[in-house]
Amino acid sequence: MNIGQAAAASGVSSKMIRYYESIGLIPKTVRTESGYRVYSDHDVHTLRFVRRARDLGFSVEQIADLVSLWQDRERASKDVKAIALEHVGLLERKIRELQEMASTLKHLADHCCGDSRPHCPILEELASHDPLPVHAKADARFGALGKA
Amino acid sequence: MNIGQAAAASGVSSKMIRYYESIGLIPKTVRTESGYRVYSDHDVHTLRFVRRARDLGFSVEQIADLVSLWQDRERASKDVKAIALEHVGLLERKIRELQEMASTLKHLADHCCGDSRPHCPILEELASHDPLPVHAKADARFGALGKA
DNA sequence: GTAATCCTTCCAATCATGGGAAGGTCAAGC
DNA sequence: GCTTGACCTTCCCATGATTGGAAGGATTAC
């Protein structure tokens, strides 16, 4: 199987497959004489594992750990669980952060008439010197909220 | 006021102030003879506005729009509200996405004994061929969940 | 006068991903 | 057997917001 077929079968793009190989997340594949990468069903299975882990928001580093635990028959399930729970913690912190932003912003928007007049509580709040009301303060930036 | 003092007064780092200037989010400042940037209280006010908008998760692009609306006395509040509500929409989509990941993962972790034995439903699920249960599927990657 | 602390610009790294160029390979059809 | 198109290869660049650091000049305090 060529990389394109492996990509289609696993849901991981060719680009990402090469990238994952380059950073050592997945092993280097066999090549044909002319240099084409060749993938087995087993490789596709691994790629699908990686993709699912990405779908759950795990970082590449965590995925590397998960993959190696997956392939270790002597693993302790607590090691897997620890990674999962740590990630749940991160997700929940992030969720709380975004919820605070959203609720602050919704509150402000609720008080903005949204007509053609210039008066706007949203801008007033942003321009104010007082601390942002109640919660809404990101402790950590997040690099791009995504494309959505 | 030098950039360091403006940074301390506004909560925006010197690095970011220079960056914001370089991309045109804030105007170029006056310089001293020797090239030091000089900031007025008014500049600090603008920087604080920017910082608050960042704290609410607005992108730099949106902040540019907000700043220009802020400085436009003829603005229509509906233009501000539109930006705010669009951002709320993004936040809420993101929140839902993360919640789906978290709940899927918590569910899996709940079923993992977390002891020294190798059996682990989390890995089993990741390795499975079936679609991820119910929800948990990120439609858009997010570039780093942050440092938290 | 010197040391410490600022400032300047420029370059690099982060993280996961996509885009594209330049060039080689393969399969199908003629 | 040759052309065409679809694949593959590697390499570099861009994203977004932010931080880090190096090299060198300015200012300030003692």
Side-chain angles (χ1 to χ4, degrees):
Chain A
M1 205 183 319
N2 282 343
I3 197 170
Q5 296 165 301
S10 66
V12 180
S13 71
S14 306
K15 282 268 185 196
M16 289 313 297
I17 295 177
R18 293 192 197 98
Y19 171 69
Y20 290 154
E21 184 190 302
S22 79
I23 62 171
L25 175 57
I26 55 174
K28 299 198 175 176
T29 58
V30 176
R31 303 277 189 129
T32 64
E33 281 175 20
S34 54
Y36 282 24
R37 289 172 179 82
V38 175
Y39 295 86
S40 66
D41 286 349
H42 178 257
D43 293 329
V44 170
H45 194 192
T46 302
L47 284 170
R48 202 149 21 191
F49 181 99
V50 169
R51 193 179 120 67
R52 288 174 160 247
R54 289 289 304 127
D55 284 342
L56 288 172
F58 285 104
S59 69
V60 166
E61 197 185 343
Q62 286 174 313
I63 295 173
D65 293 341
L66 289 171
V67 169
S68 88
L69 285 167
W70 180 41
Q71 281 158 2
D72 173 11
R73 282 182 216 176
E74 311 280 309
R75 70 184 164 245
S77 65
K78 66 167 177 277
D79 292 340
V80 181
K81 191 167 181 171
I83 295 174
L85 290 180
E86 197 198 320
H87 184 48
V88 168
L90 171 59
L91 288 170
E92 291 182 338
R93 276 196 300 281
K94 210 72 216 165
I95 289 166
R96 244 174 284 124
E97 209 175 283
L98 299 188
Q99 279 173 338
E100 285 172 5
M101 294 180 194
S103 82
T104 299
L105 214 41
K106 269 192 288 190
H107 183 78
L108 290 174
D110 278 351
H111 291 266
C112 174
C113 309
D115 56 21
S116 56
R117 288 170 300 173
H119 171 72
C120 178
I122 301 170
L123 292 179
E124 271 173 25
E125 175 53 41
L126 290 173
S128 144
H129 275 215
D130 314 321
L132 276 170
V134 220
H135 26 236
K137 220 160 114 190
D139 51 350
R141 291 273 65 76
F142 39 106
L145 275 174
K147 305 148 202 164
Chain B
M1 207 185 316
N2 282 343
I3 196 171
Q5 296 164 302
S10 66
V12 180
S13 72
S14 307
K15 283 267 186 198
M16 289 312 297
I17 295 176
R18 291 193 198 98
Y19 171 68
Y20 289 154
E21 184 190 301
S22 80
I23 62 171
L25 175 57
I26 55 174
K28 298 197 176 177
T29 58
V30 176
R31 304 277 188 129
T32 64
E33 282 176 20
S34 54
Y36 281 25
R37 289 173 180 81
V38 175
Y39 296 87
S40 66
D41 286 350
H42 178 258
D43 294 329
V44 170
H45 194 192
T46 303
L47 285 170
R48 204 150 18 193
F49 181 98
V50 170
R51 193 180 119 67
R52 285 173 161 250
R54 287 291 303 127
D55 283 342
L56 288 172
F58 285 104
S59 70
V60 165
E61 198 184 342
Q62 287 173 313
I63 296 173
D65 293 342
L66 289 171
V67 169
S68 88
L69 285 168
W70 181 41
Q71 281 158 3
D72 173 11
R73 281 181 216 176
E74 312 280 309
R75 70 184 165 245
S77 65
K78 66 167 176 277
D79 293 339
V80 181
K81 191 168 181 171
I83 295 175
L85 289 181
E86 197 198 320
H87 184 49
V88 168
L90 172 59
L91 288 169
E92 290 182 338
R93 277 196 299 281
K94 210 74 215 164
I95 288 166
R96 244 174 283 126
E97 207 175 284
L98 299 188
Q99 278 173 338
E100 284 171 5
M101 294 180 194
S103 82
T104 300
L105 213 41
K106 269 193 286 190
H107 183 78
L108 290 174
D110 278 351
H111 291 267
C112 174
C113 309
D115 56 21
S116 55
R117 288 171 298 173
H119 172 72
C120 179
I122 302 170
L123 292 179
E124 271 173 24
E125 176 54 41
L126 289 173
S128 145
H129 275 217
D130 314 322
L132 276 170
V134 220
H135 26 237
K137 221 160 117 189
D139 52 350
R141 291 273 66 77
F142 39 106
L145 274 174
K147 306 148 201 164

